[in-house]
Every structure is written in structure tokens, then in C-alpha cells.
Amino acid sequence: MPSETQQDEIPKGEKLYEGKAKVLFQGEEEGTIIQYFKDDATAFNALKKGTITGKGIINNKMTELIMINLERIGIPTHFIKRLNDREQLVQHVEIVPLEVIVRNVIAGSMAKRLGIEEGTPLARPIIEFSLKDDDLGDPLIAEEHVLSLELATDEELSEIFDMTHQINDFLRGLFAGIGIKLIDFKLEYGRIYDEDGIGYRLILADEFSPDNCRLWDIETNKKLDKDRFRHDLGGEVEAYQEVAHRLGITL
Ligand code: UDP
């Protein structure tokens, strides 16, 4: 089990938001936020609740590693630096109210909705959108909804497609290199405004961890992600640790 090292208390501002797996605090510097990663786990729109011991530390460190690597290939992200085991400093963005889902292999809600067996590979990756609204259970929406409901502009949508494909290509390779198939994952993007408050750019926000992706061992198809918790498969702590270990993350 990861041991939590005692670290200096980071001066935090006001609590801005408490989500299911993270708490957001105002950062010391204007325009920054501190993301605190909890061990709390939820599934099925929070109908199932529990904890995965040490998950917050793993998700914090894994998000750091992924964001740094994505920056290296030219994807702008909100990540600034990791502060300690459970906290990272990020840029304050205006979240685009979309869950951007990428699928390489059919699983989860898509398998259920279309009656296709989990594990069936797709001829090409799918990028789909859900409206980010917990009360509605994040309903699946079409690109046309995104535009007509003005959730994002045409230009933003094409940037989202471009960046998301690049991220998928890169991460599939990264995980294949450590014997893991990247089945699907969820991304969120945010707008960061210029000083004039008019111009802005789109950057990757939120997190990347086994909480919001599906990772299967290449040889055995063993699930190494939150599905272990969702479906009471057991061994979720060990699965998260296994992914961290293969990525070379020190806990
Ligand atoms: N996902 C997520 N947050 C959500 C919904 C989905 O992080 O609110 C992730 C999920 O972990 C999986 C991918 O997006 O890696 C596709 O999820 P799916 O639509 O299959 O829904 P699920 O079966 O997780 O309800």
C-alpha cells in the first residue's frame, strides 16, 4: 500500500468545488487552482460509493506523468506542477461542459447500448460527447447538439477532434509499451482567457487516471481500472498500483 509522506501544508485558498474524486481550492496565485485527489470512488452516477485506498496518490502522480508527456508532444494542458502526494497546481479554466469520450475497443455503456460484446475492437477510434451534467447522468449527445446548443463552437470542436486524436495515438503507444491496451477514456477541455478577457485558447484540463479510462493487460485482458470497483471484481488497490508500477511511478 502506498505510504503517504508527511509534507508541508500548502497554503490553500477558498474551497471552490468538491467533486466525487477531487476537491478544488483557489491557488495562491491568481488564475490557479489546487486539485486535491481523494480516495473516494463512485460509480453509476454515484449510486455506488466506496474508497480505493491510496487511489488519490496514484491518480495525482499518474495525471502528472501523462500531462507532462502530452505537453512534450505539443498538447497544451492546465497542469503546472505537482505540489505533494495528493495535490497539484493547475491553471484555472472555464470548463467546456462536455465529456469527450474516446473508444478504441467496445466496452462499458457502448457495449450495453448496442448489444455488442465487450472487447470487440473498432475499425477506427470513436470520439463521442456527453453533456457534463450529473443530474441528467451525463447524456450522450451528437456533434449537432454541441453546435446547436452552443456548448462549443465549430472551431473549438475541430480543435477538440484534432487534439483528442493526437492524445489517443500517443497514449495507445505509451500504454502498449508497458503491456496495456487502452480501451477507452474520458477527457475534459477548458478555455483559458487572455488578459483582455476576450481572446482565449483551448487546453486539456481535469485528470487522466484509471478512474476515467479502461486499461486491460495485453496478454490476459485483466482489467486494471475502475471497472474492478464498478463491478465488484476485487483487487482494485492492486490494479491501480500495478498501472503506476508499470509506468515507473514511485509511490
Ligand atoms: N467515463 C468517465 N466519466 C464519466 C463517464 C465515463 O470518466 O462520467 C470514462 C469511463 O471510465 C470509460 C470511458 O469514459 O473509460 C467510457 O465510459 P462509458 O461511456 O462506457 O461509461 P461507463 O460504462 O463508464 O458508465
Side-chain angles (χ1 to χ4, degrees):
M1 195 172 297
S3 65
E4 199 148 349
T5 46
Q6 219 47 54
Q7 282 152 330
D8 293 344
E9 173 76 6
I10 298 295
K12 288 192 280 285
E14 188 195 342
K15 190 201 258 196
L16 300 174
Y17 174 78
E18 177 147 9
K20 287 170 272 189
K22 294 193 291 291
V23 190
L24 305 184
F25 298 93
Q26 180 76 54
E28 237 193 330
E29 217 178 295
E30 168 108 20
T32 64
I33 282 189
I34 295 171
Q35 293 200 122
Y36 176 94
F37 289 76
K38 302 191 281 187
D39 284 349
D40 296 352
T42 62
F44 312 117
N45 206 19
L47 284 176
K48 181 180 164 82
K49 290 194 176 96
T51 55
I52 302 174
T53 309
K55 167 172 90 75
I57 301 174
I58 292 173
N59 289 1
N60 184 24
K61 293 186 175 182
M62 183 163 161
T63 297
E64 172 192 25
L65 182 142
I66 301 287
M67 294 290 180
I68 288 175
N69 276 284
L70 290 176
E71 288 274 358
R72 285 197 187 126
I73 62 152
I75 303 291
T77 81
H78 74 159
F79 182 79
I80 302 173
K81 64 175 176 181
R82 184 166 65 79
L83 300 169
N84 55 40
D85 274 359
R86 286 184 183 271
E87 292 170 324
Q88 56 180 245
L89 188 69
V90 301
Q91 266 163 333
H92 193 165
V93 296
E94 174 188 284
I95 289 285
V96 177
L98 294 174
E99 305 220 321
V100 180
I101 310 270
V102 184
R103 299 181 186 277
N104 295 308
V105 174
I106 298 178
S109 68
M110 182 174 179
K112 212 169 160 194
R113 197 171 58 242
L114 302 183
I116 305 173
E117 201 190 338
E118 257 211 339
T120 309
L122 287 159
R124 44 180 251 182
I126 291 176
I127 297 179
E128 66 185 33
F129 302 100
S130 293
L131 176 67
K132 209 172 133 55
D133 188 325
D134 281 341
D135 294 340
L136 299 175
D138 302 332
L140 182 68
I141 53 172
E143 240 179 279
E144 294 296 313
H145 289 74
V146 176
L147 295 173
S148 298
L149 296 171
E150 297 185 309
L151 303 170
T153 64
D154 226 338
E155 211 178 25
E156 286 176 327
L157 211 49
S158 65
E159 262 189 84
I160 288 176
F161 275 114
D162 283 353
M163 283 199 266
T164 304
H165 277 299
Q166 274 188 66
I167 293 169
N168 187 37
D169 290 346
F170 176 75
L171 292 183
R172 280 176 89 165
L174 185 145
F175 282 107
I178 55 167
I180 290 175
K181 266 189 282 192
L182 179 59
I183 304 297
D184 58 27
F185 57 96
K186 186 256 305 181
L187 301 175
E188 290 182 27
Y189 289 91
R191 304 180 181 102
I192 179 158
Y193 286 87
D194 299 339
E195 295 213 329
D196 61 13
I198 302 166
Y200 69 88
R201 61 201 178 96
L202 214 52
I203 66 178
L204 183 65
D206 197 41
E207 65 171 287
F208 191 97
S209 74
D211 271 9
N212 39 52
C213 64
R214 287 193 169 92
L215 302 170
W216 294 3
D217 181 83
I218 282 183
E219 301 287 336
T220 64
N221 279 343
K222 183 180 175 186
K223 293 178 163 67
L224 299 170
D225 54 63
K226 203 169 89 172
D227 270 353
R228 303 210 73 81
F229 167 80
R230 286 191 190 101
H231 304 299
D232 297 316
L233 301 175
E236 52 269 33
V237 173
E238 294 75 13
Y240 278 62
Q241 285 173 1
E242 170 78 25
V243 174
H245 175 73
R246 290 200 205 180
L247 284 169
I249 292 170
T250 319
L251 297 173

mmCIF file of all heavy atoms in Angstrom, residues 99 101 103 107-110 128 138 184-186 211-214 230, ligand 1:
data_model
loop_
_atom_site.group_PDB
_atom_site.id
_atom_site.type_symbol
_atom_site.label_atom_id
_atom_site.label_comp_id
_atom_site.label_asym_id
_atom_site.label_seq_id
_atom_site.Cartn_x
_atom_site.Cartn_y
_atom_site.Cartn_z
ATOM 1 N N GLU A 99 -18.106 15.850 -21.848
ATOM 2 C CA GLU A 99 -17.198 14.758 -21.570
ATOM 3 C C GLU A 99 -16.824 14.217 -22.934
ATOM 4 O O GLU A 99 -17.705 13.775 -23.699
ATOM 5 C CB GLU A 99 -17.884 13.688 -20.733
ATOM 6 C CG GLU A 99 -18.461 14.261 -19.452
ATOM 7 C CD GLU A 99 -18.279 13.370 -18.250
ATOM 8 O OE1 GLU A 99 -18.416 12.155 -18.401
ATOM 9 O OE2 GLU A 99 -18.019 13.910 -17.156
ATOM 10 N N ILE A 101 -15.341 11.459 -24.946
ATOM 11 C CA ILE A 101 -15.044 10.032 -24.744
ATOM 12 C C ILE A 101 -14.380 9.476 -25.997
ATOM 13 O O ILE A 101 -14.860 9.706 -27.116
ATOM 14 C CB ILE A 101 -16.340 9.220 -24.489
ATOM 15 C CG1 ILE A 101 -17.203 9.867 -23.409
ATOM 16 C CG2 ILE A 101 -16.044 7.755 -24.229
ATOM 17 C CD1 ILE A 101 -16.987 9.462 -22.014
ATOM 18 N N ARG A 103 -13.018 5.918 -27.806
ATOM 19 C CA ARG A 103 -13.130 4.455 -27.728
ATOM 20 C C ARG A 103 -12.278 3.795 -28.815
ATOM 21 O O ARG A 103 -12.420 4.134 -29.997
ATOM 22 C CB ARG A 103 -14.582 4.021 -27.948
ATOM 23 C CG ARG A 103 -15.533 4.579 -26.910
ATOM 24 C CD ARG A 103 -16.951 4.098 -27.164
ATOM 25 N NE ARG A 103 -17.879 4.753 -26.257
ATOM 26 C CZ ARG A 103 -18.112 4.357 -25.005
ATOM 27 N NH1 ARG A 103 -17.500 3.300 -24.512
ATOM 28 N NH2 ARG A 103 -18.965 5.005 -24.242
ATOM 29 N N ALA A 107 -16.633 -1.278 -25.052
ATOM 30 C CA ALA A 107 -16.761 -1.663 -23.638
ATOM 31 C C ALA A 107 -17.818 -0.778 -22.998
ATOM 32 O O ALA A 107 -18.342 0.145 -23.630
ATOM 33 C CB ALA A 107 -15.421 -1.512 -22.922
ATOM 34 N N GLY A 108 -18.125 -1.088 -21.737
ATOM 35 C CA GLY A 108 -18.978 -0.234 -20.925
ATOM 36 C C GLY A 108 -20.315 0.084 -21.550
ATOM 37 O O GLY A 108 -21.014 -0.795 -22.072
ATOM 38 N N SER A 109 -20.667 1.382 -21.502
ATOM 39 C CA SER A 109 -22.015 1.780 -21.926
ATOM 40 C C SER A 109 -22.250 1.506 -23.413
ATOM 41 O O SER A 109 -23.374 1.227 -23.823
ATOM 42 C CB SER A 109 -22.255 3.258 -21.625
ATOM 43 O OG SER A 109 -21.450 4.067 -22.437
ATOM 44 N N MET A 110 -21.200 1.556 -24.234
ATOM 45 C CA MET A 110 -21.395 1.308 -25.670
ATOM 46 C C MET A 110 -21.730 -0.165 -25.932
ATOM 47 O O MET A 110 -22.601 -0.478 -26.751
ATOM 48 C CB MET A 110 -20.151 1.706 -26.464
ATOM 49 C CG MET A 110 -20.335 1.518 -27.953
ATOM 50 S SD MET A 110 -18.969 2.141 -28.915
ATOM 51 C CE MET A 110 -19.553 1.706 -30.552
ATOM 52 N N GLU A 128 -16.797 10.528 -28.978
ATOM 53 C CA GLU A 128 -18.203 10.882 -28.764
ATOM 54 C C GLU A 128 -18.316 11.865 -27.599
ATOM 55 O O GLU A 128 -17.363 12.045 -26.837
ATOM 56 C CB GLU A 128 -19.053 9.617 -28.546
ATOM 57 C CG GLU A 128 -18.714 8.877 -27.285
ATOM 58 C CD GLU A 128 -19.478 7.558 -27.125
ATOM 59 O OE1 GLU A 128 -19.774 6.889 -28.126
ATOM 60 O OE2 GLU A 128 -19.758 7.195 -25.970
ATOM 61 N N ASP A 138 -25.081 12.617 -17.333
ATOM 62 C CA ASP A 138 -24.174 12.854 -18.475
ATOM 63 C C ASP A 138 -24.678 12.209 -19.777
ATOM 64 O O ASP A 138 -24.028 11.291 -20.299
ATOM 65 C CB ASP A 138 -22.754 12.322 -18.170
ATOM 66 C CG ASP A 138 -22.131 12.951 -16.941
ATOM 67 O OD1 ASP A 138 -22.472 14.100 -16.611
ATOM 68 O OD2 ASP A 138 -21.283 12.277 -16.315
ATOM 69 N N ASP A 184 -10.690 2.624 -23.634
ATOM 70 C CA ASP A 184 -11.425 3.892 -23.806
ATOM 71 C C ASP A 184 -11.025 4.863 -22.711
ATOM 72 O O ASP A 184 -10.334 4.473 -21.759
ATOM 73 C CB ASP A 184 -12.958 3.673 -23.838
ATOM 74 C CG ASP A 184 -13.496 2.983 -22.591
ATOM 75 O OD1 ASP A 184 -12.883 3.104 -21.522
ATOM 76 O OD2 ASP A 184 -14.552 2.311 -22.691
ATOM 77 N N PHE A 185 -11.375 6.110 -22.851
ATOM 78 C CA PHE A 185 -11.076 7.101 -21.815
ATOM 79 C C PHE A 185 -11.919 8.353 -22.007
ATOM 80 O O PHE A 185 -12.545 8.539 -23.049
ATOM 81 C CB PHE A 185 -9.585 7.478 -21.764
ATOM 82 C CG PHE A 185 -8.999 7.999 -23.049
ATOM 83 C CD1 PHE A 185 -8.893 9.370 -23.287
ATOM 84 C CD2 PHE A 185 -8.521 7.135 -24.024
ATOM 85 C CE1 PHE A 185 -8.326 9.867 -24.460
ATOM 86 C CE2 PHE A 185 -7.950 7.610 -25.200
ATOM 87 C CZ PHE A 185 -7.850 8.981 -25.422
ATOM 88 N N LYS A 186 -11.899 9.196 -20.963
ATOM 89 C CA LYS A 186 -12.675 10.442 -20.983
ATOM 90 C C LYS A 186 -11.737 11.636 -20.789
ATOM 91 O O LYS A 186 -10.839 11.590 -19.942
ATOM 92 C CB LYS A 186 -13.679 10.397 -19.846
ATOM 93 C CG LYS A 186 -14.662 11.543 -19.819
ATOM 94 C CD LYS A 186 -14.423 12.621 -18.795
ATOM 95 C CE LYS A 186 -14.308 12.190 -17.384
ATOM 96 N NZ LYS A 186 -14.110 13.287 -16.430
ATOM 97 N N ASP A 211 -9.397 6.006 -13.027
ATOM 98 C CA ASP A 211 -10.787 6.372 -12.718
ATOM 99 C C ASP A 211 -11.567 6.703 -13.980
ATOM 100 O O ASP A 211 -12.794 6.579 -14.011
ATOM 101 C CB ASP A 211 -10.833 7.646 -11.843
ATOM 102 C CG ASP A 211 -10.784 7.339 -10.361
ATOM 103 O OD1 ASP A 211 -10.541 6.172 -10.002
ATOM 104 O OD2 ASP A 211 -10.980 8.274 -9.568
ATOM 105 N N ASN A 212 -10.862 7.225 -14.998
ATOM 106 C CA ASN A 212 -11.597 7.650 -16.196
ATOM 107 C C ASN A 212 -11.068 7.075 -17.502
ATOM 108 O O ASN A 212 -11.213 7.671 -18.563
ATOM 109 C CB ASN A 212 -11.758 9.178 -16.260
ATOM 110 C CG ASN A 212 -10.515 9.868 -15.797
ATOM 111 O OD1 ASN A 212 -9.446 9.557 -16.290
ATOM 112 N ND2 ASN A 212 -10.657 10.760 -14.832
ATOM 113 N N CYS A 213 -10.473 5.881 -17.371
ATOM 114 C CA CYS A 213 -10.123 5.158 -18.607
ATOM 115 C C CYS A 213 -10.279 3.668 -18.351
ATOM 116 O O CYS A 213 -10.474 3.243 -17.214
ATOM 117 C CB CYS A 213 -8.699 5.481 -19.051
ATOM 118 S SG CYS A 213 -7.405 4.954 -17.931
ATOM 119 N N ARG A 214 -10.259 2.892 -19.406
ATOM 120 C CA ARG A 214 -10.240 1.435 -19.243
ATOM 121 C C ARG A 214 -8.904 0.924 -19.757
ATOM 122 O O ARG A 214 -8.500 1.260 -20.878
ATOM 123 C CB ARG A 214 -11.397 0.767 -20.003
ATOM 124 C CG ARG A 214 -12.738 0.994 -19.347
ATOM 125 C CD ARG A 214 -13.832 0.094 -19.908
ATOM 126 N NE ARG A 214 -15.023 0.178 -19.069
ATOM 127 C CZ ARG A 214 -16.022 1.046 -19.281
ATOM 128 N NH1 ARG A 214 -15.984 1.866 -20.317
ATOM 129 N NH2 ARG A 214 -17.050 1.073 -18.465
ATOM 130 N N ARG A 230 -16.386 -0.826 -10.014
ATOM 131 C CA ARG A 230 -17.770 -0.757 -10.529
ATOM 132 C C ARG A 230 -18.468 -2.101 -10.438
ATOM 133 O O ARG A 230 -19.619 -2.192 -10.053
ATOM 134 C CB ARG A 230 -17.770 -0.344 -12.014
ATOM 135 C CG ARG A 230 -17.463 1.116 -12.284
ATOM 136 C CD ARG A 230 -17.753 1.461 -13.756
ATOM 137 N NE ARG A 230 -17.251 2.777 -14.103
ATOM 138 C CZ ARG A 230 -16.116 3.000 -14.762
ATOM 139 N NH1 ARG A 230 -15.357 1.985 -15.164
ATOM 140 N NH2 ARG A 230 -15.720 4.230 -15.029
HETATM 141 N N1 UDP B 1 -16.017 7.962 -18.108
HETATM 142 C C1 UDP B 1 -15.665 8.867 -17.130
HETATM 143 N N2 UDP B 1 -16.649 9.631 -16.545
HETATM 144 C C2 UDP B 1 -17.961 9.528 -16.884
HETATM 145 C C3 UDP B 1 -18.324 8.595 -17.891
HETATM 146 C C4 UDP B 1 -17.327 7.842 -18.479
HETATM 147 O O1 UDP B 1 -14.503 9.015 -16.792
HETATM 148 O O2 UDP B 1 -18.788 10.249 -16.319
HETATM 149 C C5 UDP B 1 -14.975 7.129 -18.744
HETATM 150 C C6 UDP B 1 -15.044 5.678 -18.292
HETATM 151 O O3 UDP B 1 -14.176 5.435 -17.207
HETATM 152 C C7 UDP B 1 -14.582 4.933 -19.521
HETATM 153 C C8 UDP B 1 -14.996 5.823 -20.687
HETATM 154 O O4 UDP B 1 -15.199 7.128 -20.140
HETATM 155 O O5 UDP B 1 -13.173 4.819 -19.534
HETATM 156 C C9 UDP B 1 -16.263 5.364 -21.384
HETATM 157 O O6 UDP B 1 -17.269 5.197 -20.415
HETATM 158 P P1 UDP B 1 -18.692 4.574 -20.779
HETATM 159 O O7 UDP B 1 -19.417 5.511 -21.661
HETATM 160 O O8 UDP B 1 -18.501 3.202 -21.262
HETATM 161 O O9 UDP B 1 -19.499 4.628 -19.430
HETATM 162 P P2 UDP B 1 -19.456 3.687 -18.158
HETATM 163 O O10 UDP B 1 -19.551 2.292 -18.644
HETATM 164 O O11 UDP B 1 -18.153 4.007 -17.502
HETATM 165 O O12 UDP B 1 -20.658 4.154 -17.387
#
